[in-house]
Amino acid sequence: MDTALQIDDLRDDFIARMGVVAANDGMPRMSGQVFAMLVFEGEEVAFGDLAKGLSVSRATISTSIRLLEERGLIRRINKAGDRQDYFKLADDAYAAMTRCAIAATRRSKSEIDATIDKLPDEATAVRDRLQAFAGFYEAISTALEDATLRVSQPKHDTAQSLRPADTEIEQ
Amino acid sequence: MDTALQIDDLRDDFIARMGVVAANDGMPRMSGQVFAMLVFEGEEVAFGDLAKGLSVSRATISTSIRLLEERGLIRRINKAGDRQDYFKLADDAYAAMTRCAIAATRRSKSEIDATIDKLPDEATAVRDRLQAFAGFYEAISTALEDATLRVSQPKHDTAQSLRPADTEIEQ
DNA sequence: CAGTGTGTTCAGATATATCTGAACGCTCTT
DNA sequence: AAGAGCGTTCAGATATATCTGAACACACTG
């Protein structure tokens, strides 16, 4: 019991920290906290439990989840005989995060390229400088692509993988 | 003259775009715009010209510059006989950006590690999951370190490199 | 078919980061 | 030594992103 309480405190602390990390990454804090809760729990978590566990409204959970789903970081699961939606980390959650980072880097680069394309031919010095800048984003992009190969899959909860699979209907 | 006007429009458009890019990266928009102006101009730009060119107060320039200086992205230059401060991109500006990204990734990882260290021994499943999460940041960190080798130096303005160097006192 | 529980949406409230204007200290000039 | 110009700081204004509560549509239950 003592350990269980300690674990709960650690979980809440972890969730709070990941909220800050997410905010530093330009993500909504709550999205980071939902993700953190799913990482910590390992097994599927019900929509309502997310709201309760994070002490926020269901509306906030709804929008946080939409963002995480759009990015392919989490999966929604329907259980037969249960009207609530459940969520768990996507099997390739970390690879998906990397893909998102790559996409963001490419968008940044293309903003530079847009200006390069419009430069008059004689503006060679400016073009060189902007291309060096774009090259930076290109280098980051390439590095992240290499990282995709090294990123491992999230660990599933052991108990979870022993359950019968036919009670879940993944969407 | 027609070309000169067009270039000015392109510059303003570029600066506006880079402000948005910076904001997406979790940086203040103005820091991105100051950086963009220095990239575009290539040569040193006076403090006052930054404020005028970006249509913001000198206070804003001051704080934007502090951030960029702290990160090692720009250099402050004192010219003999001129009381204004001048700024240009650091020689290793893009490498510095990469280093900042690495540092941010490491900070994120250490937030996870802080929880891992406090976990009781028997929480093996949770530990495995958090370590997989931390491994993601580790992979990104490693990839960015590789990128450092590939990131090139910003191009200097050609005219600039022909000027006598003894009129500048870099700090 | 009314009632309950579910997730979504959206206008408005809230919190947060960002920018400004004024005051300040400093240096150089005269 | 007074004045002008410079960059910095900070309280307050502003803008923006984020969260909430209420209304809604839908599905299942009794």
Side-chain angles (χ1 to χ4, degrees):
Chain A
M1 241 333 85
D2 184 32
T3 300
L5 285 176
Q6 187 194 355
I7 287 264
D8 279 357
D9 285 347
L10 282 175
R11 190 196 64 166
D12 292 347
D13 179 59
F14 176 68
I15 287 172
R17 286 170 184 268
M18 290 307 108
V20 176
V21 167
N24 288 342
D25 269 338
M27 252 180 134
R29 174 172 45 224
M30 284 313 306
S31 293
Q33 296 196 346
V34 168
F35 188 83
M37 184 157 172
L38 294 181
V39 169
F40 201 98
E41 296 298 336
E43 57 190 10
E44 307 106 350
V45 180
F47 189 101
D49 290 339
L50 287 172
K52 208 176 302 174
L54 300 173
S55 306
V56 293
S57 68
R58 295 184 319 161
T60 301
I61 297 297
S62 180
T63 59
S64 297
I65 275 180
R66 178 175 40 179
L67 176 68
L68 294 171
E69 265 187 316
E70 280 170 1
R71 300 198 178 184
L73 302 185
I74 67 176
R75 278 189 100 79
R76 187 182 302 245
I77 295 169
N78 278 338
K79 293 193 177 187
D82 193 335
R83 292 165 58 187
Q84 251 185 129
D85 288 356
Y86 288 74
F87 300 89
K88 68 168 187 180
L89 287 194
D91 290 338
D92 61 345
Y94 302 132
M97 283 183 74
T98 311
R99 283 196 299 272
C100 286
I102 293 170
T105 307
R106 292 226 179 100
R107 275 194 299 275
S108 296
K109 178 177 185 297
S110 71
E111 290 294 300
I112 302 173
D113 288 338
T115 300
I116 292 177
D117 291 344
K118 283 183 280 186
L119 280 174
D121 289 344
E122 60 269 29
T124 55
V126 176
R127 174 176 290 105
D128 284 350
R129 286 194 293 274
L130 295 203
Q131 271 169 354
F133 192 13
F136 161 71
Y137 281 110
E138 182 65 30
I140 298 295
S141 202
T142 305
L144 292 176
E145 280 160 20
D146 291 347
T148 307
L149 308 173
R150 266 176 264 135
V151 170
S152 59
Q153 294 205 350
K155 311 284 185 186
H156 290 252
D157 186 21
T158 315
Q160 175 51 30
S161 58
L162 296 175
R163 285 184 199 156
D166 57 351
T167 60
E168 296 173 9
I169 305 151
E170 300 207 5
Q171 294 179 320
Chain B
M1 237 343 74
D2 184 33
T3 299
L5 285 176
Q6 188 195 353
I7 288 265
D8 279 357
D9 284 348
L10 282 176
R11 190 196 63 166
D12 292 346
D13 179 58
F14 175 69
I15 287 172
R17 285 169 184 268
M18 291 307 107
V20 176
V21 167
N24 288 341
D25 269 337
M27 251 180 135
R29 174 172 46 227
M30 284 313 305
S31 293
Q33 296 195 346
V34 168
F35 188 83
M37 185 156 172
L38 294 180
V39 169
F40 201 98
E41 296 298 338
E43 58 189 10
E44 307 107 347
V45 180
F47 189 100
D49 290 340
L50 286 172
K52 208 176 301 173
L54 300 173
S55 308
V56 293
S57 69
R58 294 185 319 162
T60 301
I61 296 298
S62 179
T63 59
S64 297
I65 274 180
R66 179 175 37 178
L67 175 69
L68 294 171
E69 264 187 317
E70 281 170 0
R71 300 197 179 185
L73 303 185
I74 68 176
R75 276 190 102 78
R76 187 182 302 245
I77 295 169
N78 279 339
K79 293 192 177 188
D82 193 334
R83 291 166 61 185
Q84 249 185 131
D85 288 355
Y86 287 75
F87 300 90
K88 67 169 186 178
L89 287 195
D91 290 338
D92 62 344
Y94 301 131
M97 284 182 75
T98 311
R99 282 195 299 272
C100 286
I102 293 170
T105 307
R106 292 225 179 100
R107 275 194 300 274
S108 297
K109 178 178 184 296
S110 71
E111 290 294 299
I112 302 173
D113 288 338
T115 300
I116 292 177
D117 291 343
K118 282 182 280 184
L119 280 175
D121 290 344
E122 61 269 29
T124 55
V126 175
R127 175 176 290 105
D128 283 350
R129 286 194 293 274
L130 296 202
Q131 270 169 353
F133 192 14
F136 161 72
Y137 282 110
E138 182 65 31
I140 299 295
S141 202
T142 305
L144 292 175
E145 280 160 20
D146 291 348
T148 308
L149 308 173
R150 267 177 264 135
V151 170
S152 59
Q153 294 205 350
K155 309 286 185 185
H156 289 252
D157 186 22
T158 315
Q160 174 52 30
S161 58
L162 295 175
R163 286 186 196 154
D166 57 352
T167 59
E168 296 174 8
I169 305 150
E170 301 206 6
Q171 294 180 317

